[in-house]
Amino acid sequence: MTSTDGWGSPGHEQRYQERVFAERARLHGAAADFAGHQQRVLADLLEFNADTAFGRTHGFGRIRTMEEFRRAVPVQDYAAHAPWIDRTTAGEANVLTADRPTVYFTSSGSTGAHKKIPVTPRFMSSTFFPFYYAAWAPLIEHFPDVLARPDAVLNLKHDPLAAPPTAADGRPHVGASQVDFGEKFGEPLSAEPGTAAPWAALPVPVAADAHLEKMYLRLRLAVQSDVRCLIGINPAMVAAVPYQLNLWWPRIVKEVHDGTLGGVPYGAPAPRRAAELERLADHFKTVRPAQIWPHMRALFCWTTGAASLYLPRLREEFGPGVTVLPAPVAASEGPVGVALDRHPSAGSLVATASVYEFVDADQDLTPDVATLLADELEPGRDYHVLFSHVGGLYRYAVGDVVRVVDRVDGVPRVEYAGRGTRSDAAGERLREAQVIRALRAALSAMGLELRNATCQVATPPTGQPHYRFALAPHTPWSAQETTRFARLLDGHLGEQSPGYRRARDAGRLGDPTLHLLPRDAFQRDWHDAVGAGVRPTQVKDRIFRQDPALWQRLTQLPATHEGEHR
């Protein structure tokens, strides 16, 4: 943080809390007139961007109502926006927005290609910052001690770059967690908790793409601090911490003893702390975060999707009283929902940020698909989410599916349910959310637990295609349990997805099969991906893993049917 109003400056903590609570209060207040705020967001984005190339093409100057906006602008994904964004990155002004982008957020798409999301000052002030500040309110309201010291928070996603990559117009093309919002957007209070810790800007040289080494160095420093909160956003990063501590433990203890960091002298040798750490490992025969940081209070990450299968047990690794608070339902392209209280999974739609539209998750997203507004949503249903905001994304299909949990003050609360992509080998049109709910139901019925799961469609040279699941049990399963689980899973998949049941009944899909993996298989695979150069924030849980190379990397099995359980 380059601002003089950063963590550690006089009065910063109080000013930060006041800003966070004020933004939450404004979002609470907006609920009383949700529809009115949505109309004002629409009017603002149309007026502000009417004279852009996109605005002129689509007649923004003539649009007054939501129905007119729907008729004028088709539903679009990133690919449809990309030609306009390419003109912007080439240096052309006034293409999607009247504002010039200050940075481009990067986000990995379904093809693996990195998107370039234009981020303008107007977007940040009107769309991003209100939800961004409010998202921290439950944490600092109920666990204020996490702000007491700069090193009380281990922020795993914070990864500043001295020389960030740039787009063709010379502006940074980076992850949101790599941007100094104080410097770029004049927001001195915007630095997240944990971004002033001793490990935030690493004090020893390390290559920008040496992601595993950077993670090691931060853990090495953090074991000497009284960490109270861990921020991961991506829960796979949180799940990696116990694995990393055990993987790197001998090196960590030696460096603490010797007073080195990455082999470079750093601070005073600490043989007493090193001996204490060694005793912990010897006594418990493993290394758990709860032993290293006994005053841990909270984890902050996404709590739904595949993470819902393993977070309850993972939380115990950090301590029996630790609370898991949900990160916002959001993408690099914009916010959807933010938790304004301690609900474990859902957040209220951000009325002042974007115009929101929804499509039933089982429908195809076509340019002219009929959409629903927030007041038409039903609790317990899954929807594709679209948004339009002043930052230059219009009727944008972000690719995520959300589930409506309930309504608070008339405003839907939604949780992330999974990616919108479908697996469709035989007409089953199976969605991530359906697989996750089927897994959860089968586990609950048998009292079993998982550390993670994924699946793919197996297409043998002869016979029917079928789903094969790779599962890492929390404790070993017997052969009888495995066989029964496969049958239950098949039944629950049919209950969740009528298309799956029809394909099974018609003989187009065979019985699902199971591969049981070692308990740390997914963490090992995560490390392999990060070690290959992918930023940790981008290595996320995958329910569908159809790529044969990725399947083999995880399972360490050839693409055959040996060892499968039916």
Side-chain angles (χ1 to χ4, degrees):
M1 188 70 192
T2 59
S3 168
T4 57
D5 191 15
W7 293 105
S9 63
H12 177 86
E13 181 182 338
Q14 180 64 31
R15 289 189 295 275
Y16 180 77
Q17 290 178 330
E18 290 172 356
R19 177 67 184 275
V20 164
F21 294 147
E23 294 292 1
R24 180 175 65 174
R26 276 191 279 272
L27 294 187
H28 267 306
D33 185 21
F34 186 89
H37 280 287
Q38 289 285 276
Q39 181 58 39
R40 285 188 281 277
V41 172
L42 176 62
D44 180 60
L45 72 87
L46 291 170
E47 179 182 3
F48 187 73
N49 294 320
D51 198 37
T52 63
F54 190 96
R56 291 191 301 271
T57 298
H58 294 87
F60 277 13
R62 300 185 299 273
I63 298 173
R64 296 293 181 269
T65 67
M66 188 64 199
E67 281 307 309
E68 292 172 344
F69 184 59
R70 284 162 154 166
R71 288 195 295 269
V73 180
V75 171
Q76 305 177 104
D77 58 9
Y78 180 80
H81 280 79
W84 304 89
I85 294 173
D86 289 343
R87 289 168 59 180
T88 302
T89 60
E92 185 179 346
N94 230 32
V95 179
L96 282 166
T97 72
D99 252 352
R100 277 192 177 273
T102 302
V103 301
Y104 297 92
F105 284 165
T106 184
S107 176
S108 58
S110 58
T111 64
H114 287 285
K115 304 175 186 176
K116 294 181 178 68
I117 310 301
V119 182
T120 68
R122 183 65 178 270
F123 164 80
M124 293 297 287
S125 63
S126 65
T127 300
F128 184 88
F129 281 130
F131 109 91
Y132 173 75
Y133 283 112
W136 301 107
L139 174 66
I140 68 172
E141 178 179 30
H142 299 288
F143 306 99
D145 55 320
V146 305
L147 302 185
R149 296 173 288 102
D151 66 341
V153 177
L154 176 55
N155 191 323
L156 298 175
K157 75 184 186 71
H158 182 64
D159 185 28
L161 294 176
T166 60
D169 62 0
R171 289 172 172 81
H173 178 211
V174 291
S177 58
Q178 297 177 304
V179 177
D180 184 335
F181 296 138
E183 175 190 1
K184 293 295 184 185
F185 298 101
E187 280 283 333
L189 290 171
S190 59
E192 296 177 3
T195 56
W199 48 81
L202 289 168
V204 297
V206 60
D209 61 351
H211 302 303
L212 286 180
E213 182 65 8
K214 287 194 285 187
M215 298 187 83
Y216 163 77
L217 294 171
R218 290 184 171 116
L219 277 182
R220 148 62 186 106
L221 291 170
V223 299
Q224 290 185 268
S225 290
D226 181 17
V227 173
R228 304 294 180 93
C229 171
L230 190 146
I231 296 171
I233 307 298
N234 175 2
M237 298 177 71
V238 179
V241 170
Y243 177 81
Q244 290 170 328
L245 285 171
N246 283 278
L247 180 69
W248 293 327
W249 194 244
R251 183 184 176 193
I252 287 174
V253 172
K254 184 177 188 306
E255 290 220 289
V256 170
H257 181 278
D258 296 346
T260 60
L261 179 65
V264 178
Y266 178 80
R272 182 174 297 179
R273 176 59 172 162
E276 179 185 5
L277 293 174
E278 282 188 316
R279 283 195 297 271
L280 284 171
D282 288 344
H283 178 75
F284 291 102
K285 309 305 179 187
T286 188
V287 181
R288 301 178 69 222
Q291 298 152 10
I292 310 307
W293 303 301
H295 302 119
M296 183 72 73
R297 305 286 308 282
L299 308 176
F300 188 83
C301 64
W302 297 319
T303 61
T304 58
S308 65
L309 301 174
Y310 61 77
L311 268 178
R313 278 292 190 178
L314 176 64
R315 179 178 63 176
E316 295 177 359
E317 293 288 313
F318 293 85
V322 169
T323 297
V324 182
L325 294 171
V329 182
S332 299
E333 295 92 333
V336 178
V338 61
L340 302 178
D341 55 24
R342 283 189 280 181
H343 190 280
S345 65
S348 298
L349 294 178
V350 188
T352 60
S354 302
V355 177
Y356 296 106
E357 300 175 72
F358 303 87
V359 176
D360 186 279
D362 288 324
Q363 283 188 255
D364 293 327
L365 285 177
T366 59
D368 60 350
V369 66
T371 61
L372 303 169
L373 300 182
D375 63 343
E376 300 173 284
L377 303 184
E378 299 178 29
R381 297 285 299 275
D382 292 349
Y383 298 93
H384 298 286
V385 61
L386 323 175
F387 50 66
S388 305
H389 59 61
V390 74
L393 299 181
Y394 306 110
R395 308 199 73 203
Y396 182 83
V398 71
D400 290 338
V401 168
V402 298
R403 188 168 185 84
V404 179
V405 173
D406 57 15
R407 291 177 180 271
V408 174
D409 299 326
V411 178
R413 281 202 298 191
V414 299
E415 64 182 22
Y416 174 73
R419 294 293 292 166
T421 52
R422 298 189 187 98
S423 180
D424 195 16
E428 71 275 18
R429 294 166 61 86
L430 192 59
R431 294 187 283 109
E432 281 191 6
Q434 295 168 328
V435 175
I436 292 166
R437 288 196 288 267
L439 283 165
R440 198 158 52 230
L443 291 167
S444 177
M446 296 187 63
L448 300 176
E449 295 173 295
L450 289 177
R451 293 171 65 88
N452 214 324
T454 190
C455 68
Q456 68 165 196
V457 177
T459 53
T462 59
Q464 304 157 311
H466 64 273
Y467 279 83
R468 65 169 87 184
F469 285 80
L471 311 173
H474 181 71
T475 57
W477 295 1
S478 69
Q480 183 181 22
E481 287 175 324
T482 304
T483 300
R484 185 180 171 214
F485 182 84
R487 289 199 301 268
L488 284 172
L489 178 58
D490 184 39
H492 286 297
L493 286 169
E495 291 174 5
Q496 291 293 327
S497 169
Y500 178 89
R501 175 49 51 206
R502 286 192 295 269
R504 288 284 286 125
D505 290 345
R508 298 193 303 270
L509 280 177
D511 296 339
T513 59
L514 308 183
H515 287 292
L516 300 187
L517 304 180
R519 47 185 283 123
D520 289 334
F522 283 86
Q523 285 70 47
R524 182 200 66 224
D525 180 73
W526 190 88
H527 263 242
D528 288 345
V530 174
V534 185
R535 285 184 60 229
T537 54
Q538 297 296 329
V539 185
K540 301 171 184 175
D541 295 320
R542 297 170 179 264
I543 288 297
F544 296 132
R545 191 182 292 235
Q546 196 58 28
D547 186 318
L550 295 181
W551 179 267
Q552 187 169 353
R553 188 184 70 189
L554 170 69
T555 63
Q556 297 189 349
L557 294 169
T560 68
H561 304 282
E562 296 178 7
E564 292 183 342
H565 296 270
R566 295 180 183 270

